[in-house]
Amino acid sequence: MADHGANAEVESRLELDHPLTFTTLTGDPIHARLKRLVLASGDHLATCTISFEVEWSTYALILAGDWFGMFPATREGTTAGILDEGQPVELKASLRQSLLKAVLHNQADVEDVLKTLLQEQADGVLPLRMSECWLIEEVKQLVELPDELAGGSLKQGYRTLWADPGVIKSEADQSVATLNEIVESYLTRLEWSYERIDDTILRLTFRGDHGQWIVLVRTDEAKQLCIVYSIYPQLITEPYQTAMAVFLNQENYDLAVGNFEMDMSDGELRYRTGIDVEHGRLTSELFGQLFTTNIAIMDEYFERIAEEMK
């Protein structure tokens, strides 16, 4: 551990080479090798970062699924195209600020965090191994040097939006922002078009891998509530409603976040995720987790819902 003065950042790190498997919101595994774990704390922010290496095919899977916050907008203007296809890729990711307090609540030691990250759990996925708990800040790849420079090493790559200190600072300073400002700032930053219906409802169209649907974001400034709805594009007609209700009830039982709902009067089906921040504050990072979880789950179930009506 390094301590460089009362006002300086205090950092503890571990260098290692250990297999690690993350799990995406749709249950897909992402195999990696954990290379470094760093805990740092300063006057304003604490951070937890990891560096891990993946095969090129896994890196392509991460980009295709927008996992670890790797949305196209976060990579806009980067030199992502300079990477060599087929070669391993090293990724540096930071733990979402909304989760950091819970992680460090009783364990400020880097070795304790490592144990939490690597421990086995038979009855579910460990939170720190969910891909969307982390945001990739840097992407690097080892460059093969010419013979005359043998013995040295060089890495090339790019940084994402999440590496911008201004983004992190804005998360810390958003206590005075309204819920609507935070929601709109997040969607604007990722260049997602939306329309505001009224002071409490915002609507956008989202296209996933398996379909397209309407997403509604509802805010209640007085109660400090923020709710995201993914609306299935087809109404569930009466002959299928009973079977669909049974199916959704079974799936809701195992869903860790959010739930499916169906209006029996008109057959509207939606997936809802929400958060009550009355005794805290909403940040764009926390909203992003709420939003991406919602659309990922709807995309995962889109075709399964259609199958229930055949």
Side-chain angles (χ1 to χ4, degrees), residues 23-64:
T23 302
T24 70
L25 291 174
T26 54
D28 297 314
I30 295 180
H31 302 294
R33 293 201 70 84
L34 183 63
K35 297 292 186 178
R36 185 179 301 110
L37 173 63
V38 180
L39 285 180
S41 59
D43 293 338
H44 303 291
L45 283 175
T47 60
C48 178
T49 60
I50 55 175
S51 296
F52 56 98
E53 186 178 272
V54 298
E55 295 299 322
W56 179 266
S57 58
T58 303
Y59 171 66
L61 177 67
I62 291 171
L63 295 186

Side-chain angles (χ1 to χ4, degrees), residues 202-243:
L202 178 151
R203 179 172 63 190
L204 64 134
T205 301
F206 181 81
R207 180 182 294 276
D209 292 334
H210 302 106
Q212 177 176 299
W213 63 91
I214 296 296
V215 180
L216 300 179
V217 180
R218 176 190 168 200
T219 54
D220 186 326
E221 299 287 351
K223 297 181 180 179
Q224 285 292 284
L225 293 173
C226 182
I227 305 173
V228 181
Y229 299 98
S230 276
I231 313 296
Y232 193 74
Q234 180 179 346
L235 296 177
I236 312 303
T237 56
E238 187 174 352
Y240 299 102
Q241 286 184 2
T242 299

Side-chain angles (χ1 to χ4, degrees), residues 144-152:
E144 185 174 343
L145 296 176
D147 293 340
E148 58 268 25
L149 296 179

Side-chain angles (χ1 to χ4, degrees), residues 107 111-119 126 128-129:
Q107 50 183 48
E111 293 188 356
D112 290 333
V113 176
L114 178 65
K115 291 178 182 177
T116 301
L117 187 62
L118 298 181
Q119 68 180 309
L126 289 167
L128 289 190
R129 291 217 290 271

Side-chain angles (χ1 to χ4, degrees), residues 273-292:
T273 52
I275 186 170
D276 179 351
V277 289
E278 184 175 3
H279 300 295
R281 76 174 190 273
L282 183 68
T283 65
S284 63
E285 206 172 53
L286 187 57
F287 172 73
Q289 187 174 1
L290 186 75
F291 185 85
T292 55

Side-chain angles (χ1 to χ4, degrees), residues 66-71 74 96 131-132 134-136 162 190:
D66 297 336
W67 304 123
F68 297 95
M70 287 289 276
F71 306 106
T74 67
R96 289 180 181 270
S131 62
E132 301 320 285
W134 302 88
L135 299 169
I136 292 177
W162 304 117
L190 295 185

Side-chain angles (χ1 to χ4, degrees), residues 80-98:
I82 66 175
L83 299 183
D84 293 331
E85 185 172 343
Q87 299 300 317
V89 179
E90 182 180 320
L91 306 170
K92 177 183 175 183
S94 60
L95 185 64
R96 289 180 181 270
Q97 284 290 311
S98 56

